[in-house]
Amino acid sequence: MIRMSVSSGSYYEAIKVFVEMIGSRDWIPDSYTYEYNIKACSDLEFVKMGVLIHGQTLVGGFGSENFVQNSLVVICMNCSRAEMARKVFDKLRERSVVLWNSMINGYFKNGYAEEALGVYNLMADEEIDPDCATVVSGLPICG
């Protein structure tokens, strides 16, 4: 239900179902439940709720999942909390190319072109191979 709600843009419904799920103790959320609810919070710019849901991922043992970590970075960037996103990013030991792209794109969208280039350069320094999305994100920054 949560996935369907988020996919159809019914973000409030997704969060409502999640809260009911947590409260009932009858259902156990999985990593996708968290990911979709963090996305709903991101699109609604509910950063505090997103952070709370992320806290639940840690309690549930899903905090190390790449897509859950990426979702938290995205919500922070979507809610203009670039500093918070950077703190999360810096704490992660394993960074997927998707996470790097989220940081680069998030910085750029928030008006921090120099920081976006800095992350791009750090990515190169750490010998992470860029993908098409990295290049697409990087080109407007250079302009």
Side-chain angles (χ1 to χ4, degrees):
M1 279 185 73
I2 292 171
R3 183 180 189 177
M4 183 180 68
S5 295
V6 171
S7 296
S8 68
S10 301
Y11 304 123
Y12 290 107
E13 183 65 26
I15 294 169
K16 179 183 168 196
V17 171
F18 177 75
V19 170
E20 289 173 3
M21 177 187 283
I22 296 296
S24 76
R25 305 265 184 215
D26 291 335
W27 295 322
I28 299 173
D30 62 13
S31 57
Y32 295 104
T33 306
Y34 293 117
E35 177 187 9
Y36 281 103
N37 274 280
I38 292 172
K39 179 182 179 358
C41 291
S42 175
D43 289 353
L44 292 170
E45 296 186 11
F46 288 175
V47 71
K48 289 181 182 178
M49 181 69 153
V51 170
L52 288 172
I53 292 173
H54 186 261
Q56 286 288 321
T57 68
L58 301 176
V59 171
F62 298 104
S64 63
E65 300 282 343
N66 280 336
F67 51 87
V68 172
Q69 295 168 346
N70 187 61
S71 295
L72 183 60
V73 168
V74 170
I75 189 174
C76 292
M77 286 298 193
N78 286 353
C79 297
S80 301
R81 303 285 178 95
E83 289 179 22
M84 185 185 291
R86 185 59 188 250
K87 285 179 184 176
V88 171
F89 178 81
D90 288 342
K91 288 181 182 180
L92 300 176
R93 284 181 245 139
E94 291 185 37
R95 299 177 185 148
S96 67
V97 70
V98 173
L99 184 63
W100 286 94
N101 293 341
S102 295
M103 286 298 296
I104 293 166
N105 197 31
Y107 269 137
F108 180 70
K109 285 183 176 179
N110 281 288
Y112 300 108
E114 288 183 33
E115 288 82 354
L117 284 174
V119 171
Y120 186 87
N121 289 334
L122 182 61
M123 184 180 182
D125 290 346
E126 293 193 14
E127 299 180 354
I128 306 297
D129 292 328
D131 63 6
C132 295
T134 312
V135 175
V136 169
S137 295
L139 287 175
I141 298 167
C142 297

